[in-house]
Amino acid sequence: MVLDTAESLQLVLLVVSAIIAVALLVFAVRNWREPLAPYFAATFVCLIVWSVGSAMEVSSTTLAGHLFWTDFQFFGYVPIAAFWFFTMRRIMGAPRLPALLTTAIWGFCIAILLGVLFNPGYVHRDPSAFVVRGDGAVTIQDLGPLYLYAVTPYTSLLLVGCAIMLLHSARTRSGTYRRRVTTLAVVTLVPVIAAALFVAGALPWAEYDPSMAEVTLVTAVCGFVVWHYRLLGLAPLAHGTVIEHLADGVIVLNDDHQIVDANPSARAIFPNLTRAMMGESLKIALAPYPDVADAVEVVTTTGSDTSQLPRHGCCDENEAVGSRTHGGSFITVNVADAGSRQGCDKHFSVAKTEIHDRAGRNLGTAIVFHDVTRNVDLMNQIKRLADTDSLTGCLTRRRFLELAGQEIARARRKDLPLSMLLLDLDNFKEINDRYGHAAGDEVLRVVATACRAELRSLDLVGRYGGDEFCVLMPHVRPDEAEGIAQRLCRSVAALVVRFNGDQIRTTISIGVAGAVTIGEHSVVSMLADADKALYTAKRGGRDRMSSFAG
């Protein structure tokens, strides 16, 4: 048989396809340790079988040879659908299919190939379906029930299912990821569309089987996709799936600081990051979160992470700014709980990662919000333990002196009055000796609670010693402090502490020191003055207050 021009062109294209497929197989084998290499190697073997079978069918000069190579093609054409399906699922990071479904897919593939091999009851082809024309060409008059009702539905369902998965992923993503997935979807749909048109007789060439053109196109595009997107290595498309499931919030910006993508975790942190916000500047998108926008701007412009951000607020790194706070090492955002209208504060560190292409050109930036709520809560808990007396709930001596120094400095700077109280339980040793130390601890706890109830939230209450307490009262003149001290004495004297059936009473003595104008006073000098006044109260009979008369 002499090949005409069209057949010669087909043969050349198929040979080129086979060469590309062999090159791709060699590439996969050389990179065998890469996660996707075995999947693509199996696909490329099928491409080689398909392209070689198609080329030999075109060049065959006998009916027997034509039939053999036609059957040979099926051993590449049918399995490739299954291999491509599982390869794409692997790339997309899709979960494993149930074992029964996986077995059914491969079992049906094997059943089809056995039907092609043994042709029981002429289910694959009837000898009369092939007619040899005078010029030696072979005409197929009947495709056979196996092709029409098994091969075509099987391959089409797998490839269409694969394409739907790819297109669904492309619809929810943008940029390079979308182009990759769309390219893979097109490669997947080409054989389906061509086979459907051929079976339906809708092609302009009634006797022309498009599978030869399919294999050429699919092989070429497959080679481009694998090489250009480096699909053998770290499964780049699966990176999108990984990011989608990251607990960290990720916002992707282009070179102009416009948002091109945000994963579900980022949208949970910032609910306004809807699809409509894609393409907007980050500053506009984060307008409802001004402190967060400031933090992100510092990160994106300086390259620092939030551990290097300047603190906002005058004295406390956790000072609230509306519903969000910006501390020295993290930002805080009020995140709505699922199923609840009321949100809760969560803390995030912010970092950026530059995105470069293979030539090193900057394509954009990924802003990553890492949830450090647990760490911050643990640090706050440790801080509370270090700053708070575990028995009474008052400030520890160290923390009291630290905060009192700040308040005195503020009072001096703003010329405000301030007063100090030093409290001591009367005859506390007798309580310990008579009722035991556990009873004494309970008395300390009850007395501290009663005193705090009589004071303002801005007053500092600390445990100064074993049974001594100190109180710093900002904006309180010494004469006002005397009235407060007398009220505390009455409140404690009225207490009845019940412990193991005993009713324990106690009283306190208080020394008062203060100044309308702080001047050169310090924490140490004010405590010394209050201690002198306390000594006077003790000598005066206890259960009373005394003011420093210096």
Side-chain angles (χ1 to χ4, degrees), residues 247-249 251 269-270 292 296 331 348-350 367-371:
D248 291 347
I251 299 176
I269 300 169
F270 308 109
V292 176
V296 172
I331 61 171
F348 300 90
S349 65
V350 185
I367 307 297
V368 181
F369 296 83
H370 179 60
D371 191 343

Side-chain angles (χ1 to χ4, degrees), residues 154-422:
Y154 174 76
T155 55
S156 298
L157 283 174
L158 287 176
L159 295 178
V160 168
C162 185
I164 291 174
M165 177 180 66
L166 291 166
L167 292 174
H168 174 73
S169 179
R171 185 181 62 84
T172 59
R173 305 306 296 266
S174 58
T176 303
Y177 183 94
R178 174 175 288 180
R179 290 193 295 273
R180 292 175 180 178
V181 175
T182 303
T183 304
L184 290 172
V186 170
V187 173
T188 302
L189 286 175
V190 165
V192 178
I193 296 172
L197 292 175
F198 181 52
V199 171
L203 291 174
W205 312 280
E207 298 180 356
Y208 178 67
D209 184 349
S211 62
M212 301 173 190
E214 291 172 35
V215 68
T216 304
L217 179 62
V218 169
T219 305
V221 176
C222 187
F224 168 79
V225 170
V226 172
W227 174 82
H228 185 70
Y229 294 131
R230 306 285 179 175
L231 292 185
L232 292 185
L234 296 176
L237 295 181
H239 288 181
T241 303
V242 171
I243 292 174
E244 287 293 298
H245 292 87
L246 273 180
D248 291 347
V250 180
I251 299 176
V252 181
L253 310 176
N254 62 16
D255 242 356
D256 298 322
H257 280 205
Q258 295 171 324
I259 300 175
V260 297
D261 203 0
N263 72 345
S265 294
R267 293 194 292 271
I269 300 169
F270 308 109
N272 63 315
L273 289 179
T274 59
R275 186 178 296 276
M277 275 291 174
M278 299 301 107
E280 291 287 353
S281 72
L282 185 63
K283 189 172 183 179
I284 293 176
L286 294 181
Y289 313 92
D291 53 317
V292 176
D294 291 344
V296 172
E297 183 176 1
V298 171
V299 169
T300 54
T301 55
T302 67
S304 306
D305 60 23
T306 42
S307 65
Q308 299 168 311
L309 292 175
R311 292 186 178 182
H312 290 234
C314 59
C315 61
D316 189 354
E317 69 177 14
N318 295 322
E319 185 174 353
V321 184
S323 62
R324 296 163 294 279
T325 64
H326 177 182
S329 59
F330 56 85
I331 61 171
T332 303
V333 182
N334 190 269
V335 180
D337 285 332
S340 172
R341 294 183 179 179
Q342 191 170 10
C344 62
D345 283 344
K346 288 193 174 183
H347 312 290
F348 300 90
S349 65
V350 185
K352 78 166 185 176
T353 299
E354 299 288 352
I355 303 172
H356 300 279
D357 62 12
R358 283 176 292 175
R361 293 185 296 267
N362 185 275
L363 300 177
T365 305
I367 307 297
V368 181
F369 296 83
H370 179 60
D371 191 343
V372 294
T373 302
R374 179 174 173 79
N375 293 343
V376 172
D377 289 345
L378 287 174
M379 290 302 297
N380 287 339
Q381 185 177 353
I382 292 171
K383 193 173 187 303
R384 282 194 297 272
L385 291 173
D387 294 346
T388 306
D389 178 64
S390 59
L391 175 63
T392 64
C394 299
L395 296 172
T396 60
R397 178 171 177 157
R398 179 197 61 80
R399 184 59 172 166
F400 175 84
L401 294 176
E402 179 184 343
L403 295 180
Q406 294 175 8
E407 288 297 335
I408 289 175
R410 183 179 291 111
R412 181 181 297 112
R413 189 169 59 250
K414 297 185 177 181
D415 196 23
L416 296 172
L418 186 143
S419 294
M420 181 83 75
L421 306 181
L422 193 59

Side-chain angles (χ1 to χ4, degrees), residues 45-47 49-54 57 66-83 109-117 123-125 130 140 142-152 154-155 198 209 211:
V45 168
C46 292
L47 276 172
V49 171
W50 189 8
S51 56
V52 169
S54 299
E57 178 192 357
H66 188 93
L67 295 179
F68 174 82
W69 291 113
T70 300
D71 293 349
F72 184 81
Q73 291 177 53
F74 279 89
F75 288 86
Y77 177 71
V78 177
I80 199 173
F83 281 122
C109 176
I110 293 172
I112 290 175
L113 296 179
L114 289 175
V116 171
L117 186 62
V123 67
H124 170 45
R125 55 176 167 75
F130 294 83
I140 304 175
D142 186 0
L143 296 173
L146 185 67
Y147 181 83
L148 293 175
Y149 304 119
V151 174
T152 299
Y154 174 76
T155 55
F198 181 52
D209 184 349
S211 62

Side-chain angles (χ1 to χ4, degrees), residues 358-502:
R358 283 176 292 175
R361 293 185 296 267
N362 185 275
L363 300 177
T365 305
I367 307 297
V368 181
F369 296 83
H370 179 60
D371 191 343
V372 294
T373 302
R374 179 174 173 79
N375 293 343
V376 172
D377 289 345
L378 287 174
M379 290 302 297
N380 287 339
Q381 185 177 353
I382 292 171
K383 193 173 187 303
R384 282 194 297 272
L385 291 173
D387 294 346
T388 306
D389 178 64
S390 59
L391 175 63
T392 64
C394 299
L395 296 172
T396 60
R397 178 171 177 157
R398 179 197 61 80
R399 184 59 172 166
F400 175 84
L401 294 176
E402 179 184 343
L403 295 180
Q406 294 175 8
E407 288 297 335
I408 289 175
R410 183 179 291 111
R412 181 181 297 112
R413 189 169 59 250
K414 297 185 177 181
D415 196 23
L416 296 172
L418 186 143
S419 294
M420 181 83 75
L421 306 181
L422 193 59
L423 294 70
D424 183 77
L425 272 68
D426 298 326
N427 303 313
F428 183 68
K429 183 177 183 301
E430 295 179 7
I431 294 175
N432 278 336
D433 292 343
R434 181 176 178 181
Y435 300 103
H437 287 281
D441 288 347
E442 180 64 12
V443 170
L444 286 173
R445 188 188 64 77
V446 172
V447 169
T449 301
C451 289
R452 286 202 305 272
E454 295 290 335
L455 298 168
R456 302 167 301 172
S457 60
L458 58 85
D459 295 330
L460 303 177
V461 182
R463 188 176 179 186
Y464 194 62
D467 60 338
E468 283 186 319
F469 297 88
C470 43
V471 179
L472 185 78
M473 298 181 291
H475 316 308
V476 175
R477 299 189 307 271
D479 58 325
E480 295 173 325
E482 292 176 1
I484 295 171
Q486 290 171 351
R487 191 169 71 243
L488 290 175
C489 286
R490 291 193 298 269
S491 176
V492 173
L495 291 174
V496 177
V497 181
R498 293 176 172 81
F499 186 82
N500 289 342
D502 294 318

